[in-house]
């Protein structure tokens, strides 16, 4: 089972029920809490951008490394780890030692998109899990809500992703929530923002305090994966600075407009960008390991 590349039928003979098992666990997690769909897509993204899609994000602190969960973009922010644990333990019960945590993250992201009404795609499989993690690398490679367009384009380009992939993947902010501290500066101090939108958001996110108060990234349909995120940007109602920079008299404006007018174009581009992202530096063949518990190296 040591193939050196990813393929969609990787588990067909070794664990034929892997994908259906993952899907049913993800569906029930999202039924229990709609926000979880966004959280699970984000886990895959924050995993892949740090030394590839190797489930390094899932590792807790050990004596030899500090967990990526401690990084600025993840600390008290990434969530859904217990859902991945539950999926892993169910998959281990049917096929011990076969399905990697990294593949579970990739499949969970696709299943979450579909469950929230978004696109689906064929996930390539066969990633293996890292035995280590790096908080420093996470700090260096994950985007921040304060990033400008140039910084975002450069960060994505280092991962082999084009500006189109950046804009399409940002569309995942059609679901999910953000904490007040991530958008306070935007709603109080920026001028490329719709004034009634800003004052609505200011009510639950004052100039100080209330740091963890939540607001939906897409105020229109926060629990549906659709194109309204892009419509919001065109109306200057992006919640995060790093959202609105995608539509701010710059090179990505026309793409935002295209997606705001065409769900099918957005869905197709999102799906292909997710496949590209899932291809970032995977461990395959005899590299890495298949962790038994996603939180600790074997």
């Amino acid at each position: 089972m040591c193939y050196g590349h990813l393929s969609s039928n990787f588990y067909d003979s070794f664990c034929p029920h892997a994908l259906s098992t993952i899907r049913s666990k993800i569906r029930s997690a999202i039924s229990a809490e709609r926000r979880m769909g966004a959280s699970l897509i984000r886990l895959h993204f924050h995993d892949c951008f740090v030394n590839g899609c190797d489930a390094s994000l899932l590792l807790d602190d050990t004596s030899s490394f500090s967990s990526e969960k401690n990084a600025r973009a993840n600390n008290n922010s990434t969530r859904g780890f217990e859902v991945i644990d539950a999926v892993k333990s169910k998959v281990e019960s049917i096929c011990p030692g076969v399905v990697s945590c990294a593949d579970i993250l990739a499949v969970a992201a696709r299943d979450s998109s579909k469950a929230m009404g978004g696109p689906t795609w064929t996930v390539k499989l066969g990633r293996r899990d890292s035995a280590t993690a790096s908080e420093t690398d996470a700090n260096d490679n994950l985007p921040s809500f304060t990033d400008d367009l140039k910084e975002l384009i450069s960060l994505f380009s280092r991962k082999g992703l084009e500006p189109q992939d950046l804009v399409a993947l940002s569309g995942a902010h059609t679901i999910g929530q953000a904490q007040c501290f991530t958008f306070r500066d935007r709603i109080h101090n920026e001028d490329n923002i719709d004034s009634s939108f800003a004052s609505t958001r200011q009510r639950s996110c004052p100039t100080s305090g209330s740091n963890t108060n939540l607001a939906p990234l897409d105020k229109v349909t926060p629990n549906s994966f659709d194109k309204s995120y892009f419509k919001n940007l065109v109306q200057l109602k992006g919640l995060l600075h790093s959202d609105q920079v995608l539509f701010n008299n710059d090179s990505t404006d026309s793409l935002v407009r295209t997606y705001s007018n065409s769900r099918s174009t957005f869905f197709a581009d999102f799906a292909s960008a997710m496949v590209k992202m899932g291809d970032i530096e995977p461990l395959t063949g005899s590299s890495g390991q298949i962790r038994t518990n996603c939180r600790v190296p074997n």
Side-chain angles (χ1 to χ4, degrees), residues 118-121 164-165 168 225 259 262-275:
T120 186
W121 56 90
Q164 175 179 301
D165 301 314
F225 198 109
Y259 292 158
S262 170
R263 189 186 88 135
S264 59
T265 308
F266 164 45
F267 275 22
D269 287 359
F270 182 81
S272 68
M274 286 295 284
V275 172

Side-chain angles (χ1 to χ4, degrees), residues 26 29-30 33-47 57-58 74 77-84 105 108-109 112-113 116 172-173 175-178 214 217 222-223 225:
I26 296 304
I30 292 172
E33 189 205 9
R34 290 292 284 175
R35 182 185 174 204
M36 190 53 71
S39 303
L40 293 171
I41 292 173
R42 188 166 182 246
L43 282 184
H44 180 44
F45 166 41
H46 281 214
D47 176 38
L57 172 59
L58 304 179
N74 293 330
S77 175
T78 42
R79 58 197 296 280
F81 297 108
E82 67 297 331
V83 172
I84 300 298
L105 285 174
S112 294
S113 171
M116 304 292 285
H173 285 181
I175 51 175
Q177 310 264 332
L214 295 174
L217 287 155
N223 288 317
F225 198 109

Side-chain angles (χ1 to χ4, degrees), residues 60-263:
D60 289 333
D61 288 325
T62 69
S63 54
S64 56
F65 61 79
S66 174
S67 171
E68 292 170 20
K69 296 173 185 176
N70 303 320
R72 285 187 300 272
N74 293 330
N75 192 25
N76 296 319
S77 175
T78 42
R79 58 197 296 280
F81 297 108
E82 67 297 331
V83 172
I84 300 298
D85 291 338
V87 171
K88 175 64 169 170
S89 111
K90 184 71 180 166
V91 172
E92 283 296 302
S93 72
I94 59 166
C95 310
V98 173
V99 181
S100 68
C101 302
D103 277 347
I104 288 172
L105 285 174
V107 174
R110 186 269 312 272
D111 292 347
S112 294
S113 171
K114 186 157 194 264
M116 304 292 285
T120 186
W121 56 90
T122 301
V123 178
K124 294 197 257 176
L125 302 161
R127 297 169 194 80
R128 289 165 65 85
D129 300 325
S130 67
T132 186
S134 170
E135 179 187 350
T136 309
D137 290 346
N139 279 328
D140 290 344
N141 287 281
L142 291 173
S144 161
F145 56 87
T146 59
D147 283 352
D148 288 323
L149 182 61
K150 194 162 70 87
E151 295 165 315
L152 291 170
I153 287 174
S154 149
L155 205 54
F156 276 65
S157 151
R158 281 173 15 208
K159 306 295 166 195
L161 299 171
E162 311 289 329
Q164 175 179 301
D165 301 314
L166 158 66
V167 178
L169 290 169
S170 298
H173 285 181
T174 176
I175 51 175
Q177 310 264 332
Q179 298 180 60
C180 163
F181 78 90
T182 64
F183 58 86
R184 169 181 287 126
D185 191 53
R186 167 147 172 79
I187 61 171
H188 290 283
N189 300 322
E190 295 191 355
D191 50 18
N192 60 340
I193 188 167
D194 177 87
S195 57
S196 67
F197 171 69
S199 56
T200 302
R201 284 291 157 254
Q202 287 165 6
R203 288 204 285 276
S204 58
C205 184
T207 48
S208 64
S210 308
N211 276 354
T212 57
N213 280 6
L214 295 174
L217 287 155
D218 166 11
K219 66 177 189 58
V220 185
T221 50
N223 288 317
S224 297
F225 198 109
D226 55 25
K227 64 183 170 74
S228 54
Y229 166 80
F230 297 105
K231 291 181 135 161
N232 297 339
L233 295 185
V234 171
Q235 296 165 7
L236 304 185
K237 296 174 183 175
L239 185 63
L240 304 179
H241 174 81
S242 55
D243 289 324
Q244 195 61 58
V245 295
L246 301 177
F247 189 85
N248 193 35
N249 301 314
D250 215 325
S251 57
T252 51
D253 283 21
S254 60
L255 202 49
V256 169
R257 243 185 234 289
T258 298
Y259 292 158
S260 77
N261 290 319
S262 170
R263 189 186 88 135

